[in-house]
Amino acid sequence: QVQLVESGGGLVQAGASLRLSCAASGRSIATSAMGWFRQAPGKEREFVAGINWQGDHIYYSDSVKGRFNISRDIAKNTVYLRMNSLKPEDTAVYYCASTIKTRWVTDHDIPAIYDYWGQGTQVTVSS
C-alpha cells in the first residue's frame, strides 16, 4: 500500500521560508512522478511543482516560479518543497501526490492523473 506523509507546514510571517517534506512508502519515488499541490479555502486544488521519476523534468506554477524549489532524496524516498519569500497568498493546505502514468509529462498539473495523495500540511503566511 502506497502512503505519502507530508510534514513541515506551519505559521510564518511574509518573507520567511519553509521546507515541506513528503515521505513515501510502498512505492519508490525513483519510479514515479511526484507533485505538490495546494488548496486554499473556497478554491480548487492547484498545481505547485512536480518532478518526474528520473528527476530531469521539473515544473513549477507561474505563481511560485523563482521562489519554490522541488527536490528529492532517493535514499530517503522523500520529496521536498523549499518555499522562499512566502506571501500571504501562499496560505493553503499543501499536498503531495504520486503517479506512474507516463502522460505526467504533459498533464503534470492535473490532479486526476495522480493516484495517491497525502493528508496535507497547513501553511499559513501572515502579513
Side-chain angles (χ1 to χ4, degrees):
Q1 183 178 0
V2 177
Q3 287 189 321
L4 304 174
V5 179
E6 302 98 333
S7 62
L11 170 63
V12 297
Q13 290 188 329
S17 297
L18 278 176
R19 189 181 77 161
L20 305 183
S21 300
C22 173
S25 61
R27 174 187 283 174
S28 171
I29 64 172
T31 57
S32 58
M34 303 294 294
W36 283 98
F37 287 75
R38 66 188 182 187
Q39 188 165 20
K43 295 187 177 182
E44 293 186 351
R45 191 166 297 190
E46 66 168 344
F47 173 79
V48 175
I51 185 168
N52 73 327
W53 35 87
Q54 291 179 308
D56 58 353
H57 283 81
I58 294 176
Y59 301 98
Y60 298 97
S61 67
D62 289 342
S63 61
V64 308
K65 198 172 296 182
R67 299 188 298 124
F68 289 14
N69 177 263
I70 187 171
S71 63
R72 61 184 191 166
D73 186 328
I74 300 297
K76 294 183 178 180
N77 214 33
T78 299
V79 179
Y80 303 98
L81 184 69
R82 176 70 179 183
M83 306 185 295
N84 299 318
S85 302
L86 282 162
K87 305 175 182 179
E89 50 264 43
D90 294 318
T91 295
V93 177
Y94 283 71
Y95 300 90
C96 70
S98 172
T99 184
I100 56 174
K101 295 181 176 67
T102 55
R103 73 176 195 269
W104 177 90
V105 176
T106 54
D107 295 347
H108 50 270
D109 57 344
I110 301 175
I113 73 157
Y114 294 85
D115 45 12
Y116 291 98
W117 292 81
Q119 82 291 347
T121 185
Q122 176 70 47
V123 172
T124 303
V125 185
S126 63
S127 57

